[in-house]
Amino acid sequence: MRAIRQPSFADVLEDVALTPEDGAEIDSALAPAAQPDWLFQIFAAAAEAAVAAQSSAAAYREATGEAQPSLAPLDEEERVAMELDLANTASLDDLARIRRDFARRNHPDMLHPGLSEQATARMKIANMLIDQRARELKARRHPT
C-alpha cells in the first residue's frame, strides 16, 4: 500500500493560483496587481494631506507676510483630563467608576508591550487627577 503524502504549501498555492482555463481571460478585478496595496493608499493619502498643509501654510505666508498660526499641541495631562471629564463629576462613586473604566481601557497589562511605558504614564496622570478631584469633593463635604 502506498502512503498518502500531505500536499506542500507550493502544491496548495498552485491549486489556488489564478490561471486562465480553456483560454478564458482573468477578470482584472480579481487580479492582485490590478488593485493598489491598501497600505500604499494610506501612505499616499497622508502624503497628500502633508503637501496640502504645506501649501496652505505657504499661501497664508504669501498673503499675509506672516507665519500661519498653529494650535499648541496638547500635552498628555491635558489629553487625559479631557478624556476623564472630571469637572462634571459630583460623587466619589462616579470617580471610582471613572477610574475603573479608564483602567480597563488604558492599563499597561491590557495593552501591547510596546505601549506599556505610555500606558503607565497615562495611568499615573489619571490617578493623580482623580485623586485630586476626590480631595476637592471631600473638602466640599467637610469644610475645615
Side-chain angles (χ1 to χ4, degrees):
M1 182 177 272
R2 192 171 163 200
I4 299 176
R5 137 183 118 76
Q6 286 282 0
S8 70
F9 185 69
D11 293 336
V12 173
L13 285 178
E14 188 174 305
D15 289 343
V16 297
L18 293 173
T19 56
E21 296 178 17
D22 301 327
E25 291 185 28
I26 297 176
D27 184 7
S28 63
L30 298 176
Q35 299 295 324
D37 186 340
W38 63 270
L39 187 58
F40 174 78
Q41 291 176 347
I42 292 172
F43 286 138
E48 287 176 11
V51 168
Q54 288 174 352
S55 63
S56 170
Y60 185 90
R61 188 178 310 109
E62 185 178 315
T64 64
E66 301 173 357
Q68 185 176 15
S70 62
L71 297 174
L74 297 176
D75 68 347
E76 197 63 29
E77 186 173 334
E78 291 170 333
R79 289 180 193 188
V80 172
M82 286 175 56
E83 188 175 337
L84 293 172
D85 190 28
L86 297 175
N88 299 326
T89 307
S91 74
L92 296 175
D93 290 338
D94 289 341
L95 287 177
R97 181 189 46 78
I98 290 171
R99 187 186 309 262
R100 283 190 307 273
D101 291 345
F102 188 86
R104 193 175 300 119
R105 291 187 314 269
N106 295 280
H107 198 280
D109 294 343
M110 305 298 274
L111 300 174
H112 187 277
L115 300 173
S116 179
E117 187 176 315
Q118 182 182 7
T120 300
R122 286 178 53 83
M123 285 299 301
K124 286 179 182 179
I125 292 169
N127 285 328
M128 177 197 64
L129 293 171
I130 291 170
D131 291 343
Q132 181 181 15
R133 180 64 178 161
R135 284 191 298 274
E136 292 171 3
L137 291 176
K138 287 177 185 177
R140 286 184 187 168
R141 282 189 185 171
H142 306 290
T144 55

